């Protein structure tokens, strides 16, 4: 049914641009025989509607609200139901964030990533030691950032944002979600935090699946380049913001 031609019909025989008038003949509904209980209910309801000589029109009704425009957000919220805002949302769904990094951060906040301690809990036979330092047990809290390797990366990146890095996951998360709102330093800090999480997890997976290894300096340079590219991508839309962020980032080199 990809064509928009006026005479194109669906496999049900209904014209592509059919309106309600298509189902009305001589002022009466001309409905096909019902083949299910739901169709019977629809046909019964239609017989209660008074037909008028007006153009067809429609509205979207969600709960007790109606609108002429369809909004996916409203439909999603209606289907999901109301939930209170979690305290960490501001650290996960960040302004101008990179979607894949925001989503991975969400998985780590919920402790849903397949770290080795979780895999062992599922009954899988796997070594428990961290793939980055080969010292501690690989857990979410160890990777972020009790592991000496990952903390070395985070410590270097946090210093660029004037943050005092800590190897404790809970303390770091609280720090990220209590950063001052609308601060350029806060914007950089959240980007860097999520980029560090993403780089560490990617390095961990590369060592596991490809047997390739990168140094701390290599990851730090990669994160630095990614932040520069992120800031530069803002220039076409907000030159002043891009310049301010670049100046702030370069000033901490």
């Amino acid at each position: 049914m990809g064509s928009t031609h006026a005479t194109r019909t669906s496999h049900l025989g209904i014209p592509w641009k059919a309106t309600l008038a298509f189902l009305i003949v001589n002022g009466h509904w001309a409905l096909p025989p019902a083949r299910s209980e739901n169709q019977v209910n629809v046909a019964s309801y239609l017989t209660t509607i008074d037909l008028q000589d007006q153009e067809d029109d429609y509205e979207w009704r969600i709960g007790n609200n109606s609108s002429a425009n369809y909004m996916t957000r409203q439909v999603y919220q209606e289907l999901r139901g109301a939930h209170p805002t979690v305290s960490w949302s501001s650290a996960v769904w960040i302004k101008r964030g990179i979607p894949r990094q925001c989503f991975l951060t969400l998985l780590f906040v919920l402790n849903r990533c397949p770290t080795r301690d979780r895999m062992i809990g599922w009954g899988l036979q796997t070594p428990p030691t961290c793939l980055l330092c080969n010292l501690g047990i690989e857990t979410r809290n160890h990777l972020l950032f009790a592991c000496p390797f990952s903390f070395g990366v985070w410590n270097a990146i946090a210093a660029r944002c004037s943050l005092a890095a800590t190897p404790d996951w809970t303390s770091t998360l609280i720090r990220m979600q209590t950063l001052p709102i609308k601060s350029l330093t806060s914007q950089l800090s959240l980007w860097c935090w999520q980029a560090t999480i993403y780089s560490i997890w990617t390095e961990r997976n590369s060592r596991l699946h490809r047997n390739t290894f990168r140094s701390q300096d290599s990851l730090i340079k990669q994160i630095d380049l990614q932040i520069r590219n992120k800031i530069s991508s803002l220039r076409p839309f907000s030159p002043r913001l891009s310049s301010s962020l670049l100046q702030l980032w370069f000033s901490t080199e």
Side-chain angles (χ1 to χ4, degrees), residues 1-248:
M1 259 181 27
S3 173
T4 57
H5 193 277
T7 60
R8 181 67 184 267
T9 59
S10 71
H11 65 281
L12 297 177
I14 301 174
W16 176 257
K17 294 186 177 181
T19 63
L20 288 177
F22 180 78
L23 296 175
I24 299 172
V25 178
N26 297 327
H28 299 284
W29 292 103
L31 302 174
R35 297 185 179 182
S36 69
E37 187 64 27
N38 286 338
Q39 291 180 355
V40 170
N41 294 334
V42 171
S44 299
Y45 173 74
L46 289 177
T47 59
T48 66
I49 298 177
D50 295 329
L51 302 179
Q52 301 177 2
D53 294 331
Q54 297 179 357
E55 292 187 7
D56 291 334
D57 120 357
Y58 66 88
E59 67 177 11
W60 297 100
R61 183 171 292 275
I62 302 176
N64 296 323
N65 302 317
S66 61
S67 172
N69 300 316
Y70 175 83
M71 297 185 65
T72 303
R73 178 181 178 182
Q74 291 181 350
V75 175
Y76 171 74
Q77 290 177 341
E78 179 69 18
L79 294 175
R80 186 195 65 164
H83 293 279
T85 301
V86 292
S87 60
W88 43 259
S89 62
S90 61
V92 173
W93 307 117
I94 61 177
K95 189 175 183 180
R96 302 183 184 92
I98 299 175
R100 66 176 180 269
Q101 295 184 358
C102 293
F103 184 70
L104 180 64
T105 302
L106 171 67
L107 294 181
F108 269 113
V109 168
L110 298 177
N111 199 17
R112 300 288 176 82
C113 283
T115 49
R116 282 183 156 180
D117 66 319
R118 299 194 73 225
M119 295 171 68
I120 292 173
W122 299 335
L124 300 178
Q125 299 297 318
T126 184
T129 52
C130 171
L131 285 154
L132 299 179
C133 67
N134 292 316
L135 296 174
I137 304 299
E138 186 186 88
T139 65
R140 186 269 311 273
N141 291 17
H142 176 80
L143 278 177
L144 307 174
F145 296 97
C147 166
F149 181 92
S150 62
F151 182 69
V153 176
W154 172 231
N155 188 43
I157 296 299
R160 298 286 303 274
C161 303
S162 302
L163 288 175
T166 171
D168 180 68
W169 163 258
T170 302
S171 299
T172 302
L173 179 59
I174 292 174
R175 182 73 180 94
M176 291 300 108
Q177 67 192 37
T178 55
L179 289 171
I181 301 175
K182 297 182 179 180
S183 164
L184 292 183
T185 302
S186 297
Q187 180 79 87
L188 272 178
S189 299
L190 289 169
W191 283 347
C192 289
W193 181 59
Q194 292 197 355
T196 302
I197 291 175
Y198 190 86
S199 294
I200 287 173
W201 185 243
T202 301
E203 173 64 17
R204 178 264 188 197
N205 288 336
S206 294
R207 295 187 179 193
L208 176 63
H209 300 296
R210 303 186 187 91
N211 199 33
T212 58
F213 298 76
R214 289 184 299 172
S215 65
Q216 289 177 325
D217 287 342
S218 177
L219 291 186
I220 293 169
K221 290 179 181 178
Q222 179 193 46
I223 295 169
D224 172 69
L225 178 60
Q226 185 178 104
I227 296 301
R228 296 187 189 203
N229 290 340
K230 176 63 181 177
I231 296 173
S232 297
S233 70
L234 302 177
R235 185 168 296 280
F237 313 102
S238 183
R240 181 176 298 179
L241 175 61
S242 178
S243 297
S244 298
L245 286 169
L246 277 175
Q247 183 178 4
L248 181 61

